[in-house]
């Protein structure tokens, strides 16, 4: 795996340290495995494979722009001797950075798969809006006529 030295970015750019931290974190191995799907233009889905976990052992918390998914495996008191141990039923904490206005709408756990539904809800104040261009007197009748013809 390639590694990048982001030190020059820290020295010459103010306010980009968060971006550099995000880039550095992406190189870390990820457990448990997950998919991020684009369902529609403003809907997303995270699906995590949590073999061996139950619904009670998984916790989902959102805080500001971060989604935390935590799994705490209950200790099994049964003494076992493994010849091969390929199922990693260990505790985990997975963090996802959420973009502005992305909210978690639902979560479900079925057959060892955790599904988290997300949606981007941009407030009306932040949505683009068309500004009518008027003449020197402030009249916008020409713009309204053009919009009516186009419709």
């Amino acid at each position: 795996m390639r590694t990048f030295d982001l030190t020059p970015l820290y020295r010459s750019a103010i306010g980009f340290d968060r971006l550099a931290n995000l880039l550095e974190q992406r190189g870390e191995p990820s457990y448990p495995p997950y998919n991020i799907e684009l369902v529609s233009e403003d809907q997303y889905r995270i699906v995590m494979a949590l073999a061996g976990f139950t619904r009670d052992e998984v916790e989902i918390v959102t805080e500001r722009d971060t989604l935390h998914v935590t799994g705490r495996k209950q200790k099994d008191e049964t003494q076992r001797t493994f010849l091969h141990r390929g199922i990693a039923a260990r505790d985990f904490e997975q963090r996802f950075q959420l973009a502005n206005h992305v909210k978690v709408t639902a979560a479900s756990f079925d057959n060892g798969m955790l599904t988290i539904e997300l949606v981007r809800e941009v407030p009306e104040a932040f949505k683009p809006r068309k500004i009518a261009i008027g003449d020197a007197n402030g009249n916008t009748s020409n713009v309204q006529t053009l919009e009516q013809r186009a419709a």
Side-chain angles (χ1 to χ4, degrees), residues 29-102:
S30 171
Y31 172 78
Y34 63 90
N35 293 335
I36 300 176
E37 303 174 26
L38 177 63
V39 177
S40 68
E41 185 177 341
D42 289 325
Q43 290 184 319
Y44 306 90
R45 180 179 296 133
I46 299 171
V47 181
M48 299 180 77
L50 302 179
F53 283 87
T54 64
R55 181 178 287 121
D56 297 334
E57 297 171 330
V58 178
E59 180 179 52
I60 302 170
V61 177
T62 58
E63 183 180 354
R64 293 189 180 179
D65 59 350
T66 306
L67 169 66
H68 300 269
V69 181
T70 308
R72 300 283 179 242
K73 193 73 180 141
Q74 294 178 359
K75 302 301 177 201
D76 187 8
E77 299 300 326
T78 307
Q79 187 73 329
R80 299 181 183 182
T81 303
F82 292 99
L83 298 178
H84 171 75
R85 188 167 188 170
I87 300 173
R90 62 181 183 263
D91 294 351
F92 70 89
E93 183 174 338
Q94 186 67 258
R95 295 176 186 217
F96 298 94
Q97 287 294 130
L98 301 178
N100 292 335
H101 314 297
V102 173

Side-chain angles (χ1 to χ4, degrees), residues 100-103 120-129:
N100 292 335
H101 314 297
V102 173
K103 308 286 184 231
R120 179 178 25 211
E121 297 174 347
V122 179
E124 288 296 323
F126 292 113
K127 289 184 179 177
R129 56 189 174 101

